[in-house]
Amino acid sequence: QYGSKSVSLSNITEAYDKSSSPGFRTEFSWTPEEVERTAKWGGLAGELTTNMHEVIGHASGRLAERLSGKADKAIGEYYSALEEGRADLVGLYFLADSKMVELKLMSAADQAAIVQAEYEGYTRNAIVQLRRVRQGTQLEEDHMRNRQMIVHWLLANTKAIEKRTRDGKTFYVMVDAKAFREGVGRLLAEVQRIKSEGDRADAKKLFDTYGIHFDAALRDEVIRRVDGLQLPSYTGFVQPKLEAVTGADGGVTDVKISYPQDLTAQMLEYAAMTRDARRAFMTAERATR
């Protein structure tokens, strides 16, 4: 009814949240209250933000007519990170909107706590994600660049986030949810302008200033803290296998679900299933160059 991809994504986010070590939250949170909020609301808040990122984030916005419906060529290598940032900003901004309550996605009584949990978690992630880059001083992955850009722009241009230290450890602390959302709105307007106008120069300036470069000493500190907790840098998920059951007329009557336990075997199976499609895509790409 809803599509296996949508259900699978929700299953993954729930599994990831529930399999995360409690020490992970505690290590990078400033207060016990922040830890408690994350445990209670972090999963729901993150899922709502992700869904809005995909549905109304990537699907929104207009481009100048001269771009003929495409901004990627004008913006170049900064386009993907900019677009991921734009979609994140949409989700972060509208999470606090009254429409969320009207649509019964959350209660009015819980909205402030849900929003705060998401803003706190998003802020923490800007340093926590550094555990994945163990060499160099630049982020290369577009989602990581966008998250870094948003948090560091807010840190520099609003009073929503503070950088604090305690016992020789660094923390990014979200201190004002109202200022966070107001800053997100301002940044979203600028990011949308950059995309709409195909402004490569300002896209470059935005990411060179806030989203690409990081302090190696901070990264080394984060890695020491993470390694001390024996926390993985990445998590992999084995997907359930869905097999259609058909009736005498060839129509689908049921679906068999099994749970493979071998990630490597499943990845090789997926590669074989999509090989022809990938070859066709590459052929089409070369033909358009």
Side-chain angles (χ1 to χ4, degrees), residues 6-274:
S6 298
V7 175
S8 182
L9 176 60
S10 293
N11 287 347
I12 287 171
T13 56
E14 182 181 12
Y16 184 80
D17 180 60
K18 290 186 176 181
S19 65
S20 297
S21 167
F24 199 32
R25 300 187 183 103
T26 304
E27 178 63 31
F28 293 94
S29 294
W30 185 250
T31 64
E33 292 76 17
E34 184 177 342
V35 175
E36 184 178 342
R37 239 184 329 269
T38 301
K40 184 174 183 179
W41 297 115
L44 173 63
E47 185 165 3
L48 290 171
T49 304
T50 298
N51 289 340
M52 286 190 287
H53 168 116
E54 301 295 351
V55 177
I56 62 173
H58 286 311
S60 63
R62 296 178 63 183
L63 301 179
E65 289 186 12
R66 61 181 174 76
L67 295 177
S68 301
K70 293 185 178 180
D72 53 340
K73 290 184 179 179
I75 295 174
E77 66 269 31
Y78 301 96
Y79 175 78
S80 291
L82 184 81
E83 176 60 15
E84 293 302 330
R86 195 180 67 85
D88 265 11
L89 289 163
V90 169
L92 291 167
Y93 186 82
F94 284 103
L95 186 67
D97 195 273
S98 60
K99 193 71 174 180
M100 301 295 288
V101 175
E102 182 184 329
L103 293 172
K104 295 183 170 47
L105 296 169
M106 61 180 70
S107 71
D110 294 332
Q111 186 169 29
I114 292 170
V115 169
Q116 186 164 351
E118 177 62 11
Y119 290 0
E120 288 170 338
Y122 200 92
T123 298
R124 286 196 307 273
N125 186 62
I127 59 171
V128 174
Q129 71 175 6
L130 295 180
R131 75 193 190 280
R132 295 175 169 167
V133 187
R134 302 207 166 207
Q135 294 181 337
T137 58
Q138 288 192 183
L139 296 177
E140 302 295 343
E141 202 277 327
D142 292 322
H143 294 81
M144 295 177 73
R145 284 183 170 188
N146 107 67
R147 295 167 190 147
Q148 177 101 341
M149 179 274 291
I150 290 172
V151 170
H152 282 86
W153 188 95
L154 292 171
L155 188 61
N157 294 281
T158 75
K159 296 186 181 300
I161 299 171
E162 293 180 1
K163 181 179 179 181
R164 298 178 180 176
T165 58
R166 181 175 61 203
D167 300 328
K169 297 179 179 180
T170 305
F171 297 82
Y172 281 7
V173 187
M174 199 288 297
V175 295
D176 188 332
K178 183 178 179 181
F180 189 104
R181 187 181 189 230
E182 186 273 335
V184 161
R186 284 196 287 130
L187 180 56
L188 174 57
E190 174 61 6
V191 167
Q192 182 62 60
R193 182 201 65 77
I194 291 172
K195 179 183 177 182
S196 294
E197 297 178 358
D199 189 341
R200 184 185 183 280
D202 277 356
K204 181 180 187 301
K205 181 179 179 181
L206 182 64
F207 282 94
D208 282 351
T209 304
Y210 300 111
I212 295 176
H213 309 285
F214 62 83
D215 179 6
L218 176 59
R219 183 269 317 281
D220 293 343
E221 176 201 319
V222 169
I223 289 176
R224 286 195 299 272
R225 293 163 70 180
V226 167
D227 286 351
L229 296 170
Q230 296 185 314
L231 299 173
S233 294
Y234 290 93
T235 303
F237 295 87
V238 181
Q239 306 294 323
K241 187 172 183 177
L242 309 179
E243 297 178 276
V245 178
T246 57
D249 61 354
V252 176
T253 60
D254 201 353
V255 177
K256 284 185 181 178
I257 304 178
S258 59
Y259 299 90
Q261 296 298 309
D262 189 330
L263 179 63
T264 301
Q266 186 168 77
M267 293 299 101
L268 291 172
E269 180 183 348
Y270 286 174
M273 290 167 56
T274 60

